[in-house]
Amino acid sequence: MAQRPYIVGNWKMHGTRAMLSEARAIDRAAERLTKVEVALAPPFTLVHATRKEAGLIGVGAQDCHPAEGGAHTGDISAPMLKDSGAGFVIVGHSERRSDHGESNELVRRKAEAALAAGLAVIVCVGESEAERDAGKAVKVVTAQLEASLPESTDCAEKLTVAYEPVWAIGTGRVPSVDDVSEMHRAIRAMLVGKFGEAGETVRILYGGSVKPDNAAELLGANEVGGALVGGASLTAESFLGIILAAAGENTD
Ligand code: 13P
């Protein structure tokens, strides 16, 4: 059976409690749009409140520390996220990789910590503009993914991959559907190589300037199982435009 498209909103460093009304509105719409699986990843400070306010959608976090606990001022562990109501965590986002110098190895340890805490995990990968221009995008992204995935070959059902070209994030620029298809096919082949048949079921999301008016096209590309949405997930209105597109409903 085909999986439902998975549409995840990454609120990044946006949102105070005033934004919970957006989460509630998204949750109400998700109740009707059962053809789509919807989730939000608000900042840490809103994970618990979002879980309480929005009972139907998935709620997760944007990062975790690889250790279970300890002397790591300012960090948050995967078991803490689980305790606050998160069901998943995003790891390896390009903004974490660039702002905090996160290596593939650290991302892999974070993903393993998330799984150990019983969370699902979204592992992000993506090439820079220079890497794409040099014709190296597929090679770079598949190598990045291979090194960022948990070592266990037994976790496919808890795993989602997000392909986010760095140059498409927050820029309004998107790759062609052919380029998205080529990358997602290469990622699928890598996943099947690692996980066998279970690799066929890992959802591969596209992220980077997904908007209501380009969502249907991007979601229609080969092996695209959903979207990881930044800016357009900050209001219920624009996020719902994307969820409707994923549901195959006309937004005109
Ligand atoms: P934008 O949708 O704002 O380009 O952000 C994409 C992203 O980084 C989601 O994780």
Side-chain angles (χ1 to χ4, degrees), residues 193-240:
K194 179 175 168 80
F195 296 108
E197 215 176 291
E200 295 282 4
T201 61
V202 175
R203 278 179 297 203
I204 310 170
L205 312 182
Y206 168 78
S209 295
V210 178
K211 309 284 176 212
D213 59 0
N214 64 15
E217 197 181 12
L218 290 163
L219 289 166
N222 236 277
E223 299 286 359
V224 173
L228 184 54
V229 184
S233 71
L234 294 174
T235 66
E237 191 187 359
S238 58
F239 198 41
L240 287 176

Short mmCIF file of all heavy atoms in Angstrom, two decimals, residues 193-240:
data_model
loop_
_atom_site.label_atom_id
_atom_site.label_comp_id
_atom_site.label_asym_id
_atom_site.label_seq_id
_atom_site.Cartn_x
_atom_site.Cartn_y
_atom_site.Cartn_z
N GLY A 193 20.34 -0.49 -0.54
CA GLY A 193 21.63 -1.14 -0.35
C GLY A 193 21.92 -1.39 1.13
O GLY A 193 22.46 -2.42 1.51
N LYS A 194 21.52 -0.46 1.97
CA LYS A 194 21.82 -0.60 3.41
C LYS A 194 20.78 -1.46 4.14
O LYS A 194 21.12 -2.32 4.93
CB LYS A 194 21.88 0.79 4.06
CG LYS A 194 22.17 0.75 5.57
CD LYS A 194 22.34 2.14 6.15
CE LYS A 194 22.33 2.15 7.66
NZ LYS A 194 23.58 1.78 8.29
N PHE A 195 19.50 -1.19 3.86
CA PHE A 195 18.45 -1.82 4.66
C PHE A 195 17.75 -2.98 3.95
O PHE A 195 16.84 -3.59 4.52
CB PHE A 195 17.38 -0.79 5.04
CG PHE A 195 17.89 0.32 5.92
CD1 PHE A 195 18.06 1.61 5.42
CD2 PHE A 195 18.20 0.08 7.25
CE1 PHE A 195 18.53 2.63 6.23
CE2 PHE A 195 18.66 1.09 8.07
CZ PHE A 195 18.83 2.37 7.56
N GLY A 196 18.10 -3.26 2.71
CA GLY A 196 17.39 -4.29 1.97
C GLY A 196 15.97 -3.81 1.67
O GLY A 196 15.74 -2.62 1.48
N GLU A 197 15.04 -4.77 1.70
CA GLU A 197 13.65 -4.45 1.34
C GLU A 197 13.07 -3.32 2.20
O GLU A 197 12.30 -2.49 1.72
CB GLU A 197 12.81 -5.70 1.54
CG GLU A 197 11.70 -5.87 0.54
CD GLU A 197 11.01 -7.20 0.77
OE1 GLU A 197 11.63 -8.25 0.51
OE2 GLU A 197 9.86 -7.17 1.23
N ALA A 198 13.46 -3.27 3.45
CA ALA A 198 12.93 -2.24 4.36
C ALA A 198 13.32 -0.83 3.87
O ALA A 198 12.62 0.15 4.16
CB ALA A 198 13.45 -2.46 5.78
N GLY A 199 14.40 -0.75 3.11
CA GLY A 199 14.83 0.54 2.57
C GLY A 199 13.83 1.13 1.59
O GLY A 199 13.84 2.34 1.32
N GLU A 200 12.97 0.27 1.06
CA GLU A 200 11.94 0.75 0.11
C GLU A 200 10.89 1.59 0.83
O GLU A 200 10.18 2.37 0.21
CB GLU A 200 11.22 -0.43 -0.56
CG GLU A 200 12.07 -1.30 -1.44
CD GLU A 200 12.33 -0.69 -2.80
OE1 GLU A 200 11.91 0.46 -3.04
OE2 GLU A 200 12.98 -1.37 -3.62
N THR A 201 10.75 1.38 2.13
CA THR A 201 9.64 2.04 2.85
C THR A 201 10.08 3.31 3.58
O THR A 201 9.25 4.01 4.15
CB THR A 201 9.03 1.07 3.88
OG1 THR A 201 10.06 0.72 4.81
CG2 THR A 201 8.49 -0.18 3.23
N VAL A 202 11.38 3.59 3.59
CA VAL A 202 11.84 4.81 4.25
C VAL A 202 11.37 6.01 3.44
O VAL A 202 11.60 6.08 2.23
CB VAL A 202 13.39 4.83 4.35
CG1 VAL A 202 13.88 6.16 4.92
CG2 VAL A 202 13.89 3.66 5.18
N ARG A 203 10.71 6.94 4.11
CA ARG A 203 10.23 8.10 3.35
C ARG A 203 11.37 9.08 3.09
O ARG A 203 12.19 9.33 3.97
CB ARG A 203 9.09 8.78 4.09
CG ARG A 203 7.78 8.04 3.81
CD ARG A 203 6.66 8.66 4.52
NE ARG A 203 6.86 8.56 5.96
CZ ARG A 203 5.86 8.61 6.83
NH1 ARG A 203 4.64 8.78 6.41
NH2 ARG A 203 6.09 8.52 8.12
N ILE A 204 11.39 9.58 1.88
CA ILE A 204 12.40 10.57 1.50
C ILE A 204 11.67 11.88 1.20
O ILE A 204 10.91 11.98 0.24
CB ILE A 204 13.21 10.11 0.26
CG1 ILE A 204 13.72 8.68 0.43
CG2 ILE A 204 14.37 11.08 0.03
CD1 ILE A 204 14.33 8.08 -0.85
N LEU A 205 11.89 12.86 2.07
CA LEU A 205 11.22 14.16 1.93
C LEU A 205 12.09 15.10 1.10
O LEU A 205 13.32 15.03 1.16
CB LEU A 205 10.97 14.80 3.30
CG LEU A 205 10.36 13.91 4.39
CD1 LEU A 205 10.15 14.74 5.67
CD2 LEU A 205 9.06 13.29 3.91
N TYR A 206 11.45 15.99 0.38
CA TYR A 206 12.19 17.10 -0.25
C TYR A 206 11.99 18.34 0.63
O TYR A 206 10.86 18.61 1.11
CB TYR A 206 11.68 17.39 -1.68
CG TYR A 206 12.28 18.69 -2.13
CD1 TYR A 206 13.60 18.74 -2.56
CD2 TYR A 206 11.56 19.89 -2.01
CE1 TYR A 206 14.20 19.96 -2.87
CE2 TYR A 206 12.15 21.10 -2.32
CZ TYR A 206 13.47 21.13 -2.75
OH TYR A 206 14.06 22.33 -3.03
N GLY A 207 13.04 19.13 0.82
CA GLY A 207 12.91 20.40 1.54
C GLY A 207 13.73 21.48 0.87
O GLY A 207 14.81 21.22 0.30
N GLY A 208 13.24 22.71 0.94
CA GLY A 208 13.93 23.85 0.33
C GLY A 208 12.95 24.65 -0.50
O GLY A 208 12.62 24.26 -1.62
N SER A 209 12.44 25.76 0.11
CA SER A 209 11.53 26.67 -0.60
C SER A 209 10.26 25.99 -1.12
O SER A 209 9.75 26.36 -2.18
CB SER A 209 12.26 27.40 -1.73
OG SER A 209 13.27 28.25 -1.18
N VAL A 210 9.75 25.00 -0.36
CA VAL A 210 8.45 24.42 -0.73
C VAL A 210 7.37 25.42 -0.32
O VAL A 210 7.35 25.92 0.81
CB VAL A 210 8.21 23.07 -0.03
CG1 VAL A 210 6.83 22.52 -0.40
CG2 VAL A 210 9.30 22.07 -0.40
N LYS A 211 6.49 25.73 -1.27
CA LYS A 211 5.41 26.70 -1.07
C LYS A 211 4.11 26.08 -1.59
O LYS A 211 4.15 25.12 -2.35
CB LYS A 211 5.68 28.00 -1.87
CG LYS A 211 7.06 28.60 -1.64
CD LYS A 211 7.16 29.31 -0.30
CE LYS A 211 8.60 29.81 -0.08
NZ LYS A 211 9.01 29.83 1.30
N PRO A 212 2.97 26.69 -1.25
CA PRO A 212 1.71 26.13 -1.77
C PRO A 212 1.70 26.03 -3.30
O PRO A 212 1.15 25.08 -3.85
CB PRO A 212 0.65 27.12 -1.27
CG PRO A 212 1.24 27.71 -0.03
CD PRO A 212 2.73 27.80 -0.30
N ASP A 213 2.36 26.98 -3.98
CA ASP A 213 2.24 26.96 -5.44
C ASP A 213 3.25 26.06 -6.15
O ASP A 213 3.13 25.83 -7.35
CB ASP A 213 2.27 28.39 -6.02
CG ASP A 213 3.55 29.10 -5.67
OD1 ASP A 213 4.40 28.49 -4.98
OD2 ASP A 213 3.72 30.26 -6.08
N ASN A 214 4.24 25.54 -5.45
CA ASN A 214 5.14 24.58 -6.13
C ASN A 214 5.08 23.18 -5.50
O ASN A 214 5.77 22.26 -5.96
CB ASN A 214 6.60 25.11 -6.15
CG ASN A 214 7.20 25.25 -4.75
OD1 ASN A 214 6.68 24.72 -3.79
ND2 ASN A 214 8.30 25.98 -4.66
N ALA A 215 4.26 23.04 -4.46
CA ALA A 215 4.27 21.78 -3.70
C ALA A 215 3.82 20.60 -4.56
O ALA A 215 4.46 19.53 -4.53
CB ALA A 215 3.39 21.90 -2.47
N ALA A 216 2.76 20.77 -5.33
CA ALA A 216 2.24 19.63 -6.08
C ALA A 216 3.30 19.10 -7.05
O ALA A 216 3.51 17.89 -7.17
CB ALA A 216 0.97 20.03 -6.83
N GLU A 217 3.98 20.03 -7.70
CA GLU A 217 5.00 19.61 -8.67
C GLU A 217 6.16 18.88 -7.99
O GLU A 217 6.59 17.80 -8.43
CB GLU A 217 5.52 20.87 -9.39
CG GLU A 217 6.25 20.53 -10.66
CD GLU A 217 6.78 21.79 -11.35
OE1 GLU A 217 6.78 22.88 -10.73
OE2 GLU A 217 7.21 21.65 -12.51
N LEU A 218 6.65 19.46 -6.90
CA LEU A 218 7.79 18.84 -6.21
C LEU A 218 7.40 17.50 -5.60
O LEU A 218 8.16 16.53 -5.65
CB LEU A 218 8.32 19.79 -5.12
CG LEU A 218 9.03 21.04 -5.65
CD1 LEU A 218 9.16 22.10 -4.56
CD2 LEU A 218 10.42 20.68 -6.19
N LEU A 219 6.18 17.44 -5.06
CA LEU A 219 5.73 16.18 -4.44
C LEU A 219 5.47 15.10 -5.48
O LEU A 219 5.42 13.92 -5.16
CB LEU A 219 4.46 16.43 -3.62
CG LEU A 219 4.67 17.23 -2.32
CD1 LEU A 219 3.34 17.72 -1.76
CD2 LEU A 219 5.40 16.38 -1.29
N GLY A 220 5.31 15.54 -6.73
CA GLY A 220 5.07 14.57 -7.80
C GLY A 220 6.36 13.97 -8.35
O GLY A 220 6.33 13.05 -9.16
N ALA A 221 7.52 14.49 -7.92
CA ALA A 221 8.78 13.95 -8.44
C ALA A 221 8.98 12.53 -7.92
O ALA A 221 8.43 12.15 -6.89
CB ALA A 221 9.94 14.85 -8.01
N ASN A 222 9.80 11.80 -8.66
CA ASN A 222 10.07 10.41 -8.34
C ASN A 222 10.56 10.21 -6.92
O ASN A 222 11.49 10.90 -6.48
CB ASN A 222 11.20 9.96 -9.27
CG ASN A 222 10.80 8.76 -10.04
OD1 ASN A 222 10.91 7.66 -9.52
ND2 ASN A 222 10.30 8.99 -11.23
N GLU A 223 9.99 9.27 -6.20
CA GLU A 223 10.47 8.87 -4.86
C GLU A 223 10.35 9.98 -3.81
O GLU A 223 10.99 9.91 -2.77
CB GLU A 223 11.93 8.39 -4.90
CG GLU A 223 12.18 7.18 -5.77
CD GLU A 223 11.66 5.87 -5.15
OE1 GLU A 223 11.13 5.91 -4.03
OE2 GLU A 223 11.77 4.84 -5.81
N VAL A 224 9.56 11.01 -4.08
CA VAL A 224 9.36 12.05 -3.07
C VAL A 224 8.16 11.64 -2.20
O VAL A 224 7.04 11.52 -2.69
CB VAL A 224 9.13 13.44 -3.70
CG1 VAL A 224 8.76 14.47 -2.63
CG2 VAL A 224 10.40 13.88 -4.43
N GLY A 225 8.42 11.41 -0.92
CA GLY A 225 7.38 10.92 -0.02
C GLY A 225 6.79 11.99 0.86
O GLY A 225 6.04 11.71 1.79
N GLY A 226 7.16 13.24 0.59
CA GLY A 226 6.64 14.33 1.41
C GLY A 226 7.57 15.52 1.37
O GLY A 226 8.46 15.60 0.51
N ALA A 227 7.35 16.46 2.29
CA ALA A 227 8.14 17.69 2.27
C ALA A 227 8.52 18.11 3.69
O ALA A 227 7.76 17.91 4.63
CB ALA A 227 7.35 18.80 1.59
N LEU A 228 9.71 18.70 3.79
CA LEU A 228 10.14 19.34 5.04
C LEU A 228 10.11 20.84 4.74
O LEU A 228 10.83 21.32 3.87
CB LEU A 228 11.54 18.86 5.43
CG LEU A 228 12.10 19.37 6.76
CD1 LEU A 228 11.16 19.09 7.93
CD2 LEU A 228 13.46 18.71 7.04
N VAL A 229 9.22 21.54 5.45
CA VAL A 229 8.88 22.91 5.07
C VAL A 229 9.34 23.87 6.16
O VAL A 229 9.02 23.69 7.33
CB VAL A 229 7.34 23.03 4.90
CG1 VAL A 229 6.97 24.43 4.42
CG2 VAL A 229 6.82 21.96 3.96
N GLY A 230 10.06 24.91 5.77
CA GLY A 230 10.49 25.92 6.72
C GLY A 230 9.51 27.08 6.74
O GLY A 230 8.44 27.03 7.34
N GLY A 231 9.87 28.16 6.06
CA GLY A 231 9.11 29.41 6.11
C GLY A 231 7.61 29.25 5.90
O GLY A 231 6.81 29.88 6.61
N ALA A 232 7.23 28.41 4.96
CA ALA A 232 5.80 28.27 4.64
C ALA A 232 5.04 27.43 5.67
O ALA A 232 3.83 27.22 5.52
CB ALA A 232 5.62 27.69 3.24
N SER A 233 5.73 26.96 6.72
CA SER A 233 5.00 26.23 7.76
C SER A 233 4.67 27.14 8.96
O SER A 233 4.05 26.70 9.92
CB SER A 233 5.82 25.04 8.26
OG SER A 233 6.94 25.46 9.03
N LEU A 234 5.05 28.40 8.86
CA LEU A 234 4.90 29.28 10.03
C LEU A 234 3.49 29.83 10.20
O LEU A 234 3.14 30.31 11.28
CB LEU A 234 5.89 30.45 9.95
CG LEU A 234 7.38 30.04 10.06
CD1 LEU A 234 8.28 31.25 9.82
CD2 LEU A 234 7.66 29.43 11.43
N THR A 235 2.71 29.80 9.14
CA THR A 235 1.29 30.15 9.31
C THR A 235 0.44 28.98 8.85
O THR A 235 0.82 28.27 7.90
CB THR A 235 0.88 31.40 8.49
OG1 THR A 235 0.99 31.07 7.09
CG2 THR A 235 1.76 32.60 8.82
N ALA A 236 -0.67 28.80 9.52
CA ALA A 236 -1.56 27.69 9.14
C ALA A 236 -2.00 27.88 7.69
O ALA A 236 -2.10 26.92 6.94
CB ALA A 236 -2.76 27.66 10.08
N GLU A 237 -2.22 29.12 7.30
CA GLU A 237 -2.72 29.36 5.94
C GLU A 237 -1.78 28.81 4.88
O GLU A 237 -2.18 28.06 3.99
CB GLU A 237 -2.94 30.86 5.74
CG GLU A 237 -3.69 31.15 4.47
CD GLU A 237 -3.77 32.63 4.16
OE1 GLU A 237 -3.24 33.45 4.95
OE2 GLU A 237 -4.34 32.96 3.11
N SER A 238 -0.49 29.17 4.95
CA SER A 238 0.41 28.69 3.89
C SER A 238 0.73 27.21 4.07
O SER A 238 0.83 26.47 3.08
CB SER A 238 1.68 29.53 3.80
OG SER A 238 2.35 29.51 5.03
N PHE A 239 0.85 26.76 5.31
CA PHE A 239 1.15 25.33 5.50
C PHE A 239 0.00 24.48 4.98
O PHE A 239 0.21 23.44 4.35
CB PHE A 239 1.42 25.06 6.98
CG PHE A 239 2.14 23.77 7.26
CD1 PHE A 239 3.19 23.34 6.47
CD2 PHE A 239 1.79 22.97 8.35
CE1 PHE A 239 3.88 22.15 6.74
CE2 PHE A 239 2.46 21.78 8.63
CZ PHE A 239 3.50 21.37 7.83
N LEU A 240 -1.22 24.95 5.20
CA LEU A 240 -2.38 24.18 4.71
C LEU A 240 -2.41 24.12 3.20
O LEU A 240 -2.86 23.13 2.62
CB LEU A 240 -3.68 24.79 5.24
CG LEU A 240 -3.90 24.51 6.73
CD1 LEU A 240 -5.15 25.20 7.24
CD2 LEU A 240 -3.98 23.02 6.98
#
